[in-house]
Short mmCIF file of all heavy atoms in Angstrom, two decimals:
data_model
loop_
_atom_site.label_atom_id
_atom_site.label_comp_id
_atom_site.label_asym_id
_atom_site.label_seq_id
_atom_site.Cartn_x
_atom_site.Cartn_y
_atom_site.Cartn_z
N GLY A 2 29.34 -65.99 -32.32
CA GLY A 2 28.05 -65.37 -32.52
C GLY A 2 26.92 -66.38 -32.37
O GLY A 2 27.12 -67.54 -32.03
N LEU A 101 28.27 -61.12 -33.66
CA LEU A 101 29.13 -61.45 -34.80
C LEU A 101 29.29 -60.23 -35.69
O LEU A 101 28.30 -59.62 -36.09
CB LEU A 101 28.51 -62.60 -35.60
CG LEU A 101 29.31 -63.19 -36.74
CD1 LEU A 101 30.50 -63.98 -36.21
CD2 LEU A 101 28.42 -64.12 -37.58
N ASP A 102 30.53 -59.87 -35.99
CA ASP A 102 30.80 -58.72 -36.85
C ASP A 102 30.67 -59.16 -38.30
O ASP A 102 31.66 -59.52 -38.95
CB ASP A 102 32.19 -58.15 -36.58
CG ASP A 102 32.47 -56.88 -37.38
OD1 ASP A 102 31.57 -56.40 -38.10
OD2 ASP A 102 33.61 -56.37 -37.29
N VAL A 103 29.46 -59.16 -38.82
CA VAL A 103 29.21 -59.66 -40.17
C VAL A 103 29.96 -58.84 -41.21
O VAL A 103 30.58 -59.39 -42.13
CB VAL A 103 27.70 -59.67 -40.47
CG1 VAL A 103 27.43 -60.06 -41.93
CG2 VAL A 103 26.98 -60.63 -39.53
N ASN A 104 29.93 -57.53 -41.10
CA ASN A 104 30.60 -56.68 -42.09
C ASN A 104 32.11 -56.70 -41.96
O ASN A 104 32.82 -56.38 -42.90
CB ASN A 104 30.06 -55.25 -42.00
CG ASN A 104 28.61 -55.18 -42.39
OD1 ASN A 104 28.23 -55.49 -43.50
ND2 ASN A 104 27.76 -54.79 -41.45
N GLY A 105 32.60 -57.10 -40.79
CA GLY A 105 34.04 -57.25 -40.59
C GLY A 105 34.55 -58.63 -40.94
O GLY A 105 35.76 -58.89 -40.84
N ALA A 106 33.66 -59.53 -41.36
CA ALA A 106 34.08 -60.87 -41.76
C ALA A 106 34.91 -60.79 -43.02
O ALA A 106 34.68 -59.96 -43.91
CB ALA A 106 32.86 -61.75 -41.98
N LEU A 107 35.88 -61.68 -43.14
CA LEU A 107 36.73 -61.72 -44.32
C LEU A 107 36.03 -62.50 -45.43
O LEU A 107 35.35 -63.49 -45.18
CB LEU A 107 38.06 -62.40 -44.00
CG LEU A 107 38.94 -61.71 -42.96
CD1 LEU A 107 40.15 -62.59 -42.62
CD2 LEU A 107 39.40 -60.35 -43.45
N ILE A 108 36.21 -62.05 -46.66
CA ILE A 108 35.74 -62.82 -47.79
C ILE A 108 36.46 -64.17 -47.78
O ILE A 108 37.68 -64.23 -47.70
CB ILE A 108 36.01 -62.09 -49.12
CG1 ILE A 108 35.33 -60.71 -49.14
CG2 ILE A 108 35.57 -62.95 -50.30
CD1 ILE A 108 33.82 -60.75 -49.10
N GLY A 109 35.69 -65.25 -47.82
CA GLY A 109 36.27 -66.58 -47.72
C GLY A 109 36.28 -67.15 -46.32
O GLY A 109 36.64 -68.32 -46.13
N GLU A 110 35.89 -66.36 -45.35
CA GLU A 110 35.76 -66.85 -43.98
C GLU A 110 34.67 -67.91 -43.92
O GLU A 110 33.65 -67.82 -44.61
CB GLU A 110 35.41 -65.66 -43.09
CG GLU A 110 35.36 -65.94 -41.60
CD GLU A 110 35.21 -64.66 -40.79
OE1 GLU A 110 36.08 -63.78 -40.89
OE2 GLU A 110 34.20 -64.52 -40.08
N ARG A 111 34.89 -68.94 -43.08
CA ARG A 111 33.92 -70.03 -43.01
C ARG A 111 33.30 -70.12 -41.63
O ARG A 111 34.00 -70.01 -40.62
CB ARG A 111 34.59 -71.36 -43.40
CG ARG A 111 35.02 -71.36 -44.86
CD ARG A 111 35.68 -72.66 -45.27
NE ARG A 111 36.06 -72.60 -46.68
CZ ARG A 111 36.67 -73.57 -47.35
NH1 ARG A 111 36.95 -74.72 -46.71
NH2 ARG A 111 36.97 -73.43 -48.62
N TRP A 112 31.98 -70.33 -41.64
CA TRP A 112 31.22 -70.39 -40.39
C TRP A 112 30.53 -71.75 -40.27
O TRP A 112 29.92 -72.24 -41.22
CB TRP A 112 30.11 -69.33 -40.37
CG TRP A 112 30.53 -67.91 -40.53
CD1 TRP A 112 31.80 -67.40 -40.49
CD2 TRP A 112 29.65 -66.80 -40.74
NE1 TRP A 112 31.77 -66.04 -40.67
CE2 TRP A 112 30.47 -65.65 -40.82
CE3 TRP A 112 28.28 -66.67 -40.87
CZ2 TRP A 112 29.93 -64.38 -41.03
CZ3 TRP A 112 27.75 -65.41 -41.08
CH2 TRP A 112 28.57 -64.28 -41.15
N ARG A 113 30.61 -72.32 -39.09
CA ARG A 113 29.80 -73.49 -38.78
C ARG A 113 28.53 -72.98 -38.09
O ARG A 113 28.60 -72.35 -37.02
CB ARG A 113 30.55 -74.44 -37.87
CG ARG A 113 29.78 -75.67 -37.45
CD ARG A 113 29.46 -76.59 -38.62
NE ARG A 113 30.64 -77.24 -39.18
CZ ARG A 113 30.62 -78.07 -40.20
NH1 ARG A 113 29.46 -78.35 -40.80
NH2 ARG A 113 31.75 -78.60 -40.66
N VAL A 114 27.40 -73.21 -38.72
CA VAL A 114 26.11 -72.76 -38.21
C VAL A 114 25.19 -73.97 -38.15
O VAL A 114 24.85 -74.55 -39.19
CB VAL A 114 25.48 -71.68 -39.11
CG1 VAL A 114 24.20 -71.14 -38.48
CG2 VAL A 114 26.47 -70.54 -39.38
N LEU A 118 27.98 -75.83 -43.05
CA LEU A 118 29.21 -75.07 -43.17
C LEU A 118 29.00 -74.03 -44.25
O LEU A 118 28.69 -74.36 -45.41
CB LEU A 118 30.39 -75.97 -43.53
CG LEU A 118 31.74 -75.26 -43.68
CD1 LEU A 118 32.18 -74.66 -42.33
CD2 LEU A 118 32.80 -76.23 -44.22
N LEU A 119 29.16 -72.76 -43.89
CA LEU A 119 28.93 -71.64 -44.80
C LEU A 119 30.22 -70.87 -45.05
O LEU A 119 31.10 -70.83 -44.19
CB LEU A 119 27.88 -70.70 -44.22
CG LEU A 119 26.56 -71.34 -43.74
CD1 LEU A 119 25.63 -70.27 -43.18
CD2 LEU A 119 25.89 -72.10 -44.87
N GLU A 120 30.31 -70.24 -46.21
CA GLU A 120 31.49 -69.45 -46.56
C GLU A 120 31.06 -68.05 -47.00
O GLU A 120 30.18 -67.91 -47.86
CB GLU A 120 32.27 -70.12 -47.70
CG GLU A 120 33.52 -69.34 -48.11
CD GLU A 120 34.30 -70.04 -49.20
OE1 GLU A 120 33.83 -70.03 -50.37
OE2 GLU A 120 35.35 -70.62 -48.91
N VAL A 121 31.67 -67.04 -46.44
CA VAL A 121 31.39 -65.65 -46.79
C VAL A 121 31.86 -65.41 -48.23
O VAL A 121 33.03 -65.63 -48.55
CB VAL A 121 32.09 -64.69 -45.83
CG1 VAL A 121 31.86 -63.23 -46.27
CG2 VAL A 121 31.61 -64.90 -44.40
N SER A 122 30.95 -64.97 -49.10
CA SER A 122 31.28 -64.84 -50.51
C SER A 122 31.33 -63.40 -51.03
O SER A 122 32.17 -63.08 -51.87
CB SER A 122 30.29 -65.64 -51.37
OG SER A 122 28.96 -65.17 -51.16
N ALA A 123 30.44 -62.54 -50.55
CA ALA A 123 30.36 -61.19 -51.12
C ALA A 123 29.43 -60.31 -50.28
O ALA A 123 28.61 -60.81 -49.52
CB ALA A 123 29.80 -61.26 -52.55
N ALA A 152 26.34 -59.88 -45.39
CA ALA A 152 27.16 -60.83 -46.16
C ALA A 152 26.33 -61.91 -46.83
O ALA A 152 25.45 -62.51 -46.20
CB ALA A 152 28.20 -61.48 -45.25
N TYR A 153 26.66 -62.16 -48.10
CA TYR A 153 26.16 -63.36 -48.76
C TYR A 153 27.07 -64.53 -48.41
O TYR A 153 28.28 -64.36 -48.21
CB TYR A 153 26.15 -63.16 -50.28
CG TYR A 153 25.00 -62.35 -50.79
CD1 TYR A 153 25.21 -61.22 -51.56
CD2 TYR A 153 23.69 -62.74 -50.54
CE1 TYR A 153 24.16 -60.47 -52.06
CE2 TYR A 153 22.62 -62.00 -51.02
CZ TYR A 153 22.87 -60.87 -51.79
OH TYR A 153 21.80 -60.14 -52.27
N LEU A 154 26.47 -65.70 -48.35
CA LEU A 154 27.18 -66.91 -47.95
C LEU A 154 26.91 -68.06 -48.92
O LEU A 154 25.78 -68.21 -49.41
CB LEU A 154 26.73 -67.34 -46.55
CG LEU A 154 26.88 -66.29 -45.44
CD1 LEU A 154 25.86 -66.53 -44.35
CD2 LEU A 154 28.28 -66.32 -44.87
N ARG A 155 27.94 -68.85 -49.17
CA ARG A 155 27.78 -70.11 -49.89
C ARG A 155 27.51 -71.23 -48.87
O ARG A 155 27.94 -71.13 -47.73
CB ARG A 155 29.05 -70.47 -50.65
CG ARG A 155 29.47 -69.49 -51.72
CD ARG A 155 30.72 -69.99 -52.44
NE ARG A 155 31.15 -69.00 -53.42
CZ ARG A 155 32.06 -68.07 -53.19
NH1 ARG A 155 32.67 -68.02 -52.01
NH2 ARG A 155 32.40 -67.19 -54.13
N VAL A 156 26.85 -72.27 -49.32
CA VAL A 156 26.66 -73.46 -48.50
C VAL A 156 27.66 -74.51 -48.96
O VAL A 156 27.49 -75.13 -50.01
CB VAL A 156 25.22 -74.01 -48.60
CG1 VAL A 156 25.07 -75.24 -47.70
CG2 VAL A 156 24.22 -72.94 -48.19
N LEU A 157 28.74 -74.68 -48.20
CA LEU A 157 29.77 -75.66 -48.55
C LEU A 157 29.36 -77.06 -48.13
O LEU A 157 29.67 -78.04 -48.81
CB LEU A 157 31.11 -75.29 -47.91
CG LEU A 157 31.70 -73.94 -48.30
CD1 LEU A 157 33.09 -73.79 -47.65
CD2 LEU A 157 31.82 -73.80 -49.82
N VAL A 168 27.20 -69.54 -34.00
CA VAL A 168 27.97 -69.35 -35.22
C VAL A 168 29.44 -69.39 -34.83
O VAL A 168 29.91 -68.52 -34.10
CB VAL A 168 27.65 -68.01 -35.91
CG1 VAL A 168 28.47 -67.87 -37.19
CG2 VAL A 168 26.16 -67.89 -36.20
N THR A 169 30.15 -70.39 -35.30
CA THR A 169 31.57 -70.55 -34.98
C THR A 169 32.40 -70.31 -36.22
O THR A 169 32.18 -70.95 -37.26
CB THR A 169 31.85 -71.97 -34.45
OG1 THR A 169 31.00 -72.22 -33.33
CG2 THR A 169 33.30 -72.10 -34.02
N VAL A 170 33.33 -69.36 -36.15
CA VAL A 170 34.25 -69.11 -37.26
C VAL A 170 35.31 -70.20 -37.23
O VAL A 170 36.11 -70.27 -36.29
CB VAL A 170 34.88 -67.71 -37.17
CG1 VAL A 170 35.86 -67.49 -38.32
CG2 VAL A 170 33.79 -66.62 -37.17
N VAL A 171 35.34 -71.04 -38.25
CA VAL A 171 36.25 -72.18 -38.27
C VAL A 171 37.43 -71.98 -39.21
O VAL A 171 38.38 -72.78 -39.20
CB VAL A 171 35.51 -73.48 -38.63
CG1 VAL A 171 34.45 -73.79 -37.59
CG2 VAL A 171 34.88 -73.38 -40.02
N HIS A 172 37.38 -70.92 -40.02
CA HIS A 172 38.50 -70.64 -40.94
C HIS A 172 38.50 -69.17 -41.29
O HIS A 172 37.45 -68.59 -41.58
CB HIS A 172 38.37 -71.47 -42.22
CG HIS A 172 39.33 -71.05 -43.31
ND1 HIS A 172 40.67 -71.32 -43.26
CD2 HIS A 172 39.11 -70.36 -44.47
CE1 HIS A 172 41.26 -70.83 -44.34
NE2 HIS A 172 40.35 -70.24 -45.09
N ARG A 173 39.68 -68.56 -41.24
CA ARG A 173 39.86 -67.19 -41.70
C ARG A 173 41.00 -67.16 -42.70
O ARG A 173 42.12 -67.61 -42.40
CB ARG A 173 40.18 -66.25 -40.53
CG ARG A 173 38.96 -65.97 -39.65
CD ARG A 173 39.30 -65.13 -38.43
NE ARG A 173 39.78 -63.82 -38.76
CZ ARG A 173 39.00 -62.76 -39.02
NH1 ARG A 173 37.69 -62.90 -39.02
NH2 ARG A 173 39.52 -61.59 -39.29
N PRO A 174 40.76 -66.69 -43.92
CA PRO A 174 41.80 -66.68 -44.96
C PRO A 174 42.91 -65.70 -44.66
O PRO A 174 42.76 -64.80 -43.82
CB PRO A 174 41.03 -66.31 -46.22
CG PRO A 174 39.84 -65.56 -45.73
CD PRO A 174 39.48 -66.16 -44.41
N ASP A 175 44.02 -65.84 -45.37
CA ASP A 175 45.21 -65.03 -45.14
C ASP A 175 45.19 -63.78 -46.02
O ASP A 175 46.02 -63.62 -46.92
CB ASP A 175 46.46 -65.87 -45.40
CG ASP A 175 47.74 -65.13 -45.00
OD1 ASP A 175 47.63 -64.18 -44.18
OD2 ASP A 175 48.81 -65.48 -45.51
N HIS A 176 44.21 -62.92 -45.80
CA HIS A 176 44.16 -61.61 -46.45
C HIS A 176 43.33 -60.70 -45.56
O HIS A 176 42.84 -61.13 -44.51
CB HIS A 176 43.58 -61.70 -47.87
CG HIS A 176 42.15 -62.18 -47.93
ND1 HIS A 176 41.08 -61.43 -47.49
CD2 HIS A 176 41.60 -63.34 -48.38
CE1 HIS A 176 39.96 -62.07 -47.66
NE2 HIS A 176 40.25 -63.25 -48.18
N ASP A 177 43.18 -59.44 -45.94
CA ASP A 177 42.47 -58.49 -45.08
C ASP A 177 41.26 -57.86 -45.76
O ASP A 177 40.80 -56.79 -45.36
CB ASP A 177 43.42 -57.40 -44.59
CG ASP A 177 44.01 -56.56 -45.73
OD1 ASP A 177 43.76 -56.89 -46.91
OD2 ASP A 177 44.72 -55.58 -45.44
N VAL A 178 40.73 -58.52 -46.77
CA VAL A 178 39.57 -57.96 -47.49
C VAL A 178 38.29 -58.41 -46.80
O VAL A 178 37.89 -59.58 -46.88
CB VAL A 178 39.57 -58.39 -48.97
CG1 VAL A 178 38.31 -57.87 -49.67
CG2 VAL A 178 40.81 -57.83 -49.67
N THR A 179 37.65 -57.48 -46.14
CA THR A 179 36.42 -57.75 -45.41
C THR A 179 35.20 -57.54 -46.32
O THR A 179 35.30 -56.98 -47.42
CB THR A 179 36.28 -56.83 -44.19
OG1 THR A 179 36.18 -55.47 -44.67
CG2 THR A 179 37.47 -56.97 -43.26
N VAL A 180 34.05 -57.93 -45.82
CA VAL A 180 32.79 -57.68 -46.51
C VAL A 180 32.61 -56.18 -46.74
O VAL A 180 32.26 -55.74 -47.84
CB VAL A 180 31.62 -58.25 -45.70
CG1 VAL A 180 30.28 -57.79 -46.27
CG2 VAL A 180 31.69 -59.77 -45.65
N ILE A 200 41.25 -62.15 -54.77
CA ILE A 200 40.52 -62.80 -53.68
C ILE A 200 39.66 -63.92 -54.29
O ILE A 200 38.57 -63.70 -54.81
CB ILE A 200 39.65 -61.80 -52.90
CG1 ILE A 200 40.50 -60.62 -52.41
CG2 ILE A 200 38.96 -62.50 -51.73
CD1 ILE A 200 41.66 -61.03 -51.51
N GLU A 201 40.16 -65.13 -54.23
CA GLU A 201 39.55 -66.25 -54.94
C GLU A 201 38.14 -66.58 -54.46
O GLU A 201 37.33 -67.13 -55.22
CB GLU A 201 40.45 -67.48 -54.84
CG GLU A 201 41.78 -67.32 -55.56
CD GLU A 201 42.63 -68.56 -55.51
OE1 GLU A 201 42.18 -69.56 -54.90
OE2 GLU A 201 43.74 -68.54 -56.07
N ALA A 202 37.82 -66.28 -53.23
CA ALA A 202 36.51 -66.61 -52.70
C ALA A 202 35.41 -65.67 -53.19
O ALA A 202 34.23 -65.97 -53.03
CB ALA A 202 36.54 -66.62 -51.17
N LEU A 203 35.78 -64.53 -53.79
CA LEU A 203 34.76 -63.67 -54.37
C LEU A 203 34.16 -64.34 -55.60
O LEU A 203 34.83 -65.13 -56.27
CB LEU A 203 35.38 -62.33 -54.80
CG LEU A 203 35.60 -61.28 -53.73
CD1 LEU A 203 36.48 -60.15 -54.26
CD2 LEU A 203 34.28 -60.72 -53.22
#
Side-chain angles (χ1 to χ4, degrees):
L101 186 70
D102 184 4
V103 174
N104 294 298
L107 298 173
I108 302 295
E110 185 172 300
R111 294 180 180 180
W112 302 350
R113 179 65 68 180
V114 185
L118 180 64
L119 309 179
E120 180 178 73
V121 176
S122 59
Y153 281 124
L154 304 153
R155 298 183 183 94
V156 181
L157 299 185
V168 181
T169 304
V170 178
V171 298
H172 169 73
R173 287 175 63 84
D175 188 21
H176 63 70
D177 62 354
V178 176
T179 64
V180 170
I200 306 301
E201 295 183 0
L203 280 168

